[in-house]
Amino acid sequence: MTARDTVAEAVVTGVGTVAAPAGTGLDEPWFDYRARLGPRGYKYLPDACQYLLAAAKDALTRSGAESAGPAGSGRTSGPAGSAGSAGSVGSAGAAGDGPAALAGCAEERRAAVVGTNSAVAALHADITEVVRAGGINRLSPMLTPFFSVNLVASRLSTEHRLKGFNTTVTSPRVAGLEALHVAARELGAGRGDLVLAGVTEAFDPGHGTAAAEAGSVVLVLRPPADAVRPGGALLRTTLRFVPPAALAHESGRRRAGREVREALEALAAPGRAPELIRVVTDGSAVAAAVEAAVRDWSARRVPLSVEAVGARAGALAPMERVAHDLRDGAAGPRTVVAVAGEGNVAFASVDPYGTA
């Protein structure tokens, strides 16, 4: 009934975020690419691509010891006020010389995995409108190639000479956490030494009753064999799939519950039960079943926070929770569970003191 997957591990050395200021309408101009990326070379990129590049640059800038020079040197490459919280994975403000974090990593061993649901939704709408109004010859040669969502992640690879694998995942609501899982799995298999993994979303003009999302979160991931340095964290991920139709039967509900509990059990490092579990739900029947199973597993031993974010036109919300946990200076592992009404379930745990 469910698609099983193993637990994948990676070491997080940096996190970067791009988010609209509180109270800002996502359909209004709020992001200045010149301040975050530079004055040239970025003007004609789609919004989601700009967000992704800025978040990745910030993540590399704050990439633990790799971007801080020799161990204990304390050097930072971002501007004043850009450092992350002490004792937590950093999150920069404006971008610095982030590519320094790539030093010593061969270009063929660098890679990218990006999740998205609506990165080019607005561009698709614009293309449709332009073609209907004036014909195909009116399309912009600068933007039109990005009709393919894969080019968003490809532009990230071009920016930082990531010549290893380049993957885009688009599973509803869980694409960001799924990107972390794919990246960690590939690192564990020895297919790279550094992966930029995360999510990027842009305002979707066709979001309907679902909440629109815009912004990006990117993590710098290293192989699980790397020791967790001060300011880093151990990431553990796994995926499940719960067919909505199966929940119509008692046997299906029991099996779904068992799969979720087994996933949480597998995700918890020996002797390191999570200090908090966040379940990000969309109010669907699948979400209700997963929430019930998480409550059953966590009862009397782990605090649980259920965040009913409702239907969303993107996969950003769960990744923002992961980024928060990385920056929060937590004393122990924290787990985020993301659920989509289509049946996708993704689990991600970050442990600042874990050892891969």
Side-chain angles (χ1 to χ4, degrees), residues 77-98:
S77 54
S82 69
S85 302
S88 65
V89 178
S91 176
D97 60 341

Side-chain angles (χ1 to χ4, degrees), residues 11-14 64 87-90 228-234 326 351-354:
V11 172
V12 184
T13 64
S88 65
V89 178
V228 179
R229 295 179 173 89
L234 176 65
L326 287 167
D351 185 352
Y353 300 101

Side-chain angles (χ1 to χ4, degrees), residues 239-254:
L239 305 175
R240 292 294 188 272
F241 183 77
V242 177
L247 299 178
H249 309 284
E250 179 61 28
S251 60
R253 291 192 292 272
R254 285 199 304 269

Side-chain angles (χ1 to χ4, degrees), residues 97-271:
D97 60 341
L102 300 172
C105 181
E107 295 175 359
E108 293 76 12
R109 302 288 294 173
R110 309 171 189 170
V113 184
V114 177
T116 188
N117 291 165
S118 60
V120 292
L123 178 59
H124 288 171
D126 289 344
I127 289 175
T128 299
E129 182 178 347
V130 169
V131 171
R132 285 176 175 172
I136 194 171
N137 291 331
R138 300 291 301 275
L139 292 174
S140 166
M142 302 298 293
L143 285 174
T144 302
F146 286 94
F147 81 91
S148 171
V149 70
N150 297 315
L151 287 188
V152 175
S154 295
R155 183 61 178 80
L156 177 63
S157 290
T158 302
E159 183 83 355
H160 296 295
R161 298 181 181 180
L162 313 178
K163 297 183 179 180
F165 55 88
N166 182 295
T167 305
T168 299
V169 294
T170 59
S171 300
R173 259 73 69 196
V174 304
L177 298 190
E178 185 177 359
L180 299 185
H181 181 72
V182 171
R185 188 177 61 193
E186 297 304 293
L187 285 170
R191 298 190 178 103
D193 295 326
L194 180 147
V195 181
L196 299 181
V199 64
T200 189
E201 301 290 7
F203 177 78
D204 181 359
H207 64 88
T209 59
E213 292 187 329
S216 181
V217 176
V218 173
L219 273 54
V220 181
L221 301 182
R222 294 279 191 173
D226 283 17
V228 179
R229 295 179 173 89
L234 176 65
L235 170 72
R236 293 169 59 86
T237 63
T238 192
L239 305 175
R240 292 294 188 272
F241 183 77
V242 177
L247 299 178
H249 309 284
E250 179 61 28
S251 60
R253 291 192 292 272
R254 285 199 304 269
R255 183 169 179 182
R258 183 170 65 251
E259 289 285 344
V260 171
R261 291 189 295 272
E262 289 178 356
L264 289 167
E265 199 67 43
L267 203 65

Side-chain angles (χ1 to χ4, degrees), residues 8 18 32 60 64 84 87 114 135 149 154 183 199 202 252 256 269 322 324 331 334:
V18 170
D32 184 359
L60 287 167
V114 177
V149 70
S154 295
V199 64
V322 171
H324 175 272
R334 294 184 178 183

Side-chain angles (χ1 to χ4, degrees), residues 269-348:
R272 299 283 292 174
E275 65 175 27
L276 175 67
I277 299 177
R278 286 190 178 90
V279 183
V280 183
T281 77
D282 62 0
S284 64
V286 173
V290 171
E291 178 188 336
V294 175
R295 287 189 182 279
D296 181 58
W297 185 86
S298 63
R300 296 182 299 279
R301 55 176 173 173
V302 180
L304 176 65
S305 170
V306 178
E307 302 180 31
V309 299
R312 303 185 73 83
L316 186 61
M319 284 291 291
E320 289 178 329
R321 275 61 174 182
V322 171
H324 175 272
D325 289 342
L326 287 167
R327 295 193 307 261
D328 196 36
R334 294 184 178 183
T335 298
V336 174
V337 182
V339 191
E342 291 82 351
N344 306 83
V345 188
F347 303 77

